[in-house]
Amino acid sequence: MRVSFERTGGFAGISKKITVDTETLPPHEAATLPRLVEVADLFRLPELITSPNQESDRFQYKLTVEDNGKQHTVTVSESALPGTLRPLIEWFQTVAQKR
């Protein structure tokens, strides 16, 4: 499984992008990532999830998952983030800080 994560926006407007592949992750992280994608039900989420009340200085997240020949991209605004997706976003933010 290969997942790309991009965070844009925020007060400073700094973009952060990271791509991880379970083939190259440490074993614990390689086991965690597919579970988080499954819990988020990422392949069933719409491509765009926005809030009717767009707030400036909020983050926007873009996730692209490639797994077993399938690919799906979801772009979601921070203010509309589904609870099921939050653990995956938090995991990526932690991983991105380490790199």
Side-chain angles (χ1 to χ4, degrees), residues 11-49:
F11 181 71
I14 298 172
S15 177
K16 183 160 271 235
K17 186 171 183 174
I18 184 171
T19 299
V20 295
D21 191 324
T22 54
E23 298 280 323
T24 59
L25 288 173
H28 175 70
E29 290 180 357
T32 300
L33 181 57
R35 284 197 307 266
L36 291 172
V37 169
E38 184 178 336
V39 166
D41 206 9
L42 202 86
F43 281 99
R44 299 179 128 220
L45 291 175
E47 291 182 18
L48 185 61
I49 304 171

Side-chain angles (χ1 to χ4, degrees), residues 78-91:
E78 183 180 33
S79 57
L81 190 64
T84 58
L85 194 51
R86 188 171 303 283
L88 181 60
I89 297 292
E90 290 172 352
W91 184 87

